[in-house]
Amino acid sequence: MDTDWDDAHTDYTSPSTRPVPAGLAESEADWRRRLRQETPRGWLLTGNAMIQNLTSGRPIQLMHTTSALDAIRASGHLYASSGCLVAALYCAPLTAESAGLRPHNLGAYLMETKPHTRTLVFEITPSAPVPAKGVDYLRLGGIHLRTYLRHRSFLTGHEDSRLRQASLGRIRTAAPFMDVLLANATGKRTPCAGFTDQLSVTIRDFPFLGYLYFEVLSEYLMLHSATAETETYAQAGELNNRLYKRLAHIAVKGMNQLFDLSRFRPGYDHLVELITRIEPGLASGAAEYTRDRLSHLFAAVSLDPSQDAEAFTFRGTDFDTLAVAAPSLLGQAVFREMRILDRYPQLYLAFEQAKALEAWDYWNSEGIPTPFNGFLPKGEIGVNPAYPESRCRVWVAEACERGLLHPVEELDITPVPRLAELNMTAMRRDTTGRAAGHIRSARADSPSP
């Protein structure tokens, strides 16, 4: 079990090279060197303020926005939520200054765009320096699959059959483009424009690719940006989160109401237009970067290391074959199909709490009271509600005219190792009943024989 969780975490101070399928043109070490040494902001991957604070052993100050302050006061409890942090209470870093607590640019963005919320300040005092290990939700597919296989008994026979058929159907529908991804990952490059347009179309059938696409472009923007705004944040030791926020909200109407990356699918012309609007100097290289980086990541996170990316094909595969050859990809498909089952609101805790218990066990064993989003250390950090070796204090805070936070009332509340209800999380269903992160597709529901 720990092998799965180790694989899903990236250590930014003591990097290890994960095993990958044979045949890839570039290794994880090759990409790590490229990102750190050949991009203007690559130094922030290890030299950012959040990582330095975690590894210092000093108290860690975080902010959390909430619209449920009265309920929190009444219960005396804080619950974690699922999502990119798996099972942590979503926060952003704070930096203590003489005039108050300065929010990380991610936190400042949240305060600006969520005026209806209140802000809580956490002070976590760890018992030792915290490892710089962040969880990468793109690598959780194997854990999603294992959780499903262990808890299938919660499903009716019809639900289980529909889940397996729909998951397999999506992979079979997307198989031609997935094979293109593998070809690119092994060095057989295809034209950027055609690749991007194919990617856009395939996301409709296989939504996980939308998450890969968005994270790759976010990485591209944050590590390559040369604007004055980005430089200001870099001098504070922060990656510029506003870049990918703009990307998401310009690309997808209504993303501010339901942040659903299955809807993120710009084709080539739209991609160039988007990047031009955000930072014109980066537009010309966006499609090539997407093709190369996304293809490598897809192969690395989808296929089992025992496989040969040059020889493998997704065409004609069955469920059991994929469970061995591409367990992470299959797990991502199953995870998203699970979320549109009619009974998912009732099943949510049965499946997600099981993952949460494993995550908390791993973080506790590794000495991690504050897990962060490890695809990039961009400031998405959380509170591990099950960690026994640290002290946690919580205040209600107010912001001054300079945007600094000032604690005004200490709360008598305790983080609790239990997930919040689905309707209180970012994975809630929208007004049509659809779960965030999934698009229904009639073509994918019935696999060919």
Side-chain angles (χ1 to χ4, degrees), residues 47 58 64 68 83 88 91 94 112 161 182 225 255 314 335 429 431:
R58 296 191 298 267
H64 170 74
C91 299
L94 293 168
E112 292 168 17
S161 177
L182 294 184
S225 176
M255 195 71 105
F314 286 97
F335 175 57
R429 295 192 171 205
T431 55

Side-chain angles (χ1 to χ4, degrees), residues 104-114 242 245 249:
H104 186 282
N105 70 83
L106 172 61
Y109 175 87
L110 294 174
M111 290 168 62
E112 292 168 17
T113 57
K114 297 180 181 292
R242 292 177 184 267
K245 295 293 187 182
H249 295 300

Side-chain angles (χ1 to χ4, degrees), residues 73-94:
R73 276 202 181 100
S75 70
H77 293 155
L78 280 166
Y79 300 111
S81 62
S82 54
C84 68
L85 296 179
V86 186
L89 187 73
Y90 187 93
C91 299
L94 293 168

Side-chain angles (χ1 to χ4, degrees), residues 361-393:
D361 183 57
Y362 179 83
W363 293 335
N364 291 351
S365 299
E366 294 293 310
I368 301 175
T370 48
F372 62 92
N373 184 349
F375 180 75
L376 282 176
K378 56 189 177 183
E380 293 183 312
I381 187 169
V383 175
N384 168 7
Y387 195 69
E389 300 294 339
S390 64
R391 187 162 58 94
C392 177
R393 299 178 68 185

Side-chain angles (χ1 to χ4, degrees), residues 120-398:
L120 303 183
V121 167
F122 291 80
E123 183 178 80
I124 311 295
T125 304
S127 57
V130 178
K133 296 178 71 170
V135 59
D136 183 349
Y137 76 97
L138 299 175
R139 293 181 175 272
L140 293 175
I143 294 166
H144 293 323
L145 179 63
R146 174 162 48 76
T147 303
Y148 155 70
L149 293 173
R150 287 184 176 177
H151 298 277
R152 286 175 68 189
S153 64
F154 284 76
L155 303 173
T156 66
H158 174 73
E159 288 170 337
D160 188 51
S161 177
R162 184 229 169 270
L163 189 69
R164 294 166 78 91
Q165 288 181 357
S167 301
L168 180 58
R170 287 188 179 275
I171 292 173
R172 287 185 175 178
T173 301
F177 181 67
M178 289 181 178
D179 285 352
V180 170
L181 288 171
L182 294 184
N184 277 282
T186 59
K188 304 175 185 68
R189 306 299 191 197
T190 55
C192 295
F195 175 92
T196 308
D197 287 338
Q198 279 187 279
L199 171 62
S200 173
V201 171
T202 308
I203 290 169
R204 295 177 181 273
D205 295 311
F206 201 77
F208 175 63
L209 292 177
Y211 289 74
L212 275 175
Y213 192 8
F214 179 77
E215 296 295 356
V216 164
L217 284 177
S218 298
E219 177 185 76
Y220 175 71
L221 288 169
M222 285 190 281
L223 295 185
H224 290 83
S225 176
T227 65
E229 176 189 69
T230 297
E231 177 61 26
T232 297
Y233 293 142
Q235 291 305 311
E238 301 172 6
L239 289 163
N240 184 358
N241 287 257
R242 292 177 184 267
L243 294 167
Y244 71 83
K245 295 293 187 182
R246 291 174 191 137
L247 176 69
H249 295 300
I250 295 172
V252 183
K253 183 179 179 181
M255 195 71 105
N256 60 322
Q257 294 160 341
L258 187 65
F259 201 83
D260 178 1
L261 292 177
S262 66
R263 298 185 294 155
F264 183 83
R265 47 180 186 271
Y268 177 77
D269 290 339
H270 190 196
L271 170 62
V272 173
E273 177 196 352
L274 286 173
I275 304 302
T276 299
R277 291 176 64 182
I278 296 167
E279 189 164 340
L282 299 181
S284 62
E288 181 179 357
Y289 187 90
T290 297
R291 180 197 63 191
D292 296 349
R293 182 64 167 147
L294 192 149
S295 297
H296 172 81
L297 281 176
F298 174 82
V301 307
S302 298
L303 290 183
D304 187 83
S306 65
Q307 301 301 304
D308 184 341
E310 289 189 291
F312 189 83
T313 177
F314 286 97
R315 298 171 192 256
T317 51
D318 58 40
F319 193 97
D320 292 338
T321 298
L322 288 168
V324 174
S328 186
L329 183 75
L330 182 60
Q332 294 288 358
V334 167
F335 175 57
R336 283 162 176 77
E337 290 301 322
M338 178 78 70
R339 286 157 66 171
I340 60 169
L341 289 176
D342 290 339
R343 287 202 307 126
Y344 182 65
Q346 291 76 48
L347 296 168
Y348 166 72
L349 285 179
F351 286 89
E352 296 309 312
Q353 186 81 15
K355 287 177 228 174
L357 290 170
E358 289 188 9
W360 295 329
D361 183 57
Y362 179 83
W363 293 335
N364 291 351
S365 299
E366 294 293 310
I368 301 175
T370 48
F372 62 92
N373 184 349
F375 180 75
L376 282 176
K378 56 189 177 183
E380 293 183 312
I381 187 169
V383 175
N384 168 7
Y387 195 69
E389 300 294 339
S390 64
R391 187 162 58 94
C392 177
R393 299 178 68 185
V394 187
W395 293 265
V396 179
E398 300 288 349

